[in-house]
């Protein structure tokens, strides 16, 4: 599965993932919107932590919160295409996380 991303953005005031507590210093939009050349995440935008594959929501001051069931139900109802994309991205993120864990295990074994 491929998802087209726009230019990734470095977030200087990066927040922490509330689940795995890693600093999230970058984000990429899922579309290349030429009318908005300088993309930046907005409050209420969804994101996925690439360390633990949790669905997050941007809050004020570059903070994140874990998206809850109500957030996702609302998204599914109001923006079904975005919800669909987010669902696919979560699967891709889970695969990346699993792959990274496999590689790390392999490294430990060789020591
Ligand atoms: Zn995380």
């Amino acid at each position: 599965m491929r998802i087209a991303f726009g230019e990734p953005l470095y977030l200087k005031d990066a927040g922490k993932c509330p689940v795995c507590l890693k600093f999230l210093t970058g984000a990429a939009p899922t579309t290349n919107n030429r009318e908005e050349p300088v993309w930046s995440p907005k409050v209420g935008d969804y994101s996925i932590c690439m360390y633990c594959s949790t669905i997050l929501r941007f809050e004020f001051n570059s903070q994140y919160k874990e998206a809850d069931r109500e957030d996702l139900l609302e998204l599914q109802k109001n923006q079904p295409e975005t919800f669909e994309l987010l669902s696919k991205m979560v699967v891709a993120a889970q695969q990346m996380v699993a792959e990274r864990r496999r590689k790390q295990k392999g490294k430990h074994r060789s020591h």
Side-chain angles (χ1 to χ4, degrees):
M1 189 240 352
R2 289 182 84 104
I3 296 170
F5 289 102
E7 282 296 305
L9 178 86
Y10 178 71
L11 304 173
K12 61 177 170 22
D13 302 314
K16 266 186 200 172
C17 171
V19 176
C20 70
L21 305 180
K22 297 252 195 208
F23 277 104
L24 304 176
T25 54
T30 52
T31 54
N32 243 332
N33 187 350
R34 307 230 177 263
E35 285 161 25
E36 192 188 12
V38 183
W39 173 86
S40 62
K42 290 166 192 65
V43 170
D45 277 0
Y46 287 90
S47 185
I48 297 171
C49 175
M50 285 297 156
Y51 293 102
C52 69
S53 71
T54 300
I55 301 177
L56 305 172
R57 251 184 69 164
F58 281 101
E59 299 292 309
F60 293 99
N61 301 323
S62 302
Q63 296 305 302
Y64 296 92
K65 81 165 189 115
E66 186 177 357
D68 57 31
R69 200 179 138 76
E70 276 170 30
D71 292 330
L72 296 175
L73 285 173
E74 195 187 297
L75 183 70
Q76 186 175 28
K77 193 174 144 217
N78 299 331
Q79 297 179 55
E81 282 168 22
T82 305
F83 179 81
E84 190 72 18
L85 182 62
L86 197 67
S87 308
K88 285 180 186 165
M89 287 174 66
V90 168
V91 174
Q94 284 168 345
Q95 285 167 352
M96 274 177 56
V97 171
E99 180 70 17
R100 198 180 306 129
R101 284 192 184 138
R102 262 198 302 277
K103 279 183 188 160
Q104 277 168 356
K105 264 189 194 166
K107 252 185 232 165
H108 287 302
R109 230 172 267 144
S110 65
H111 277 224

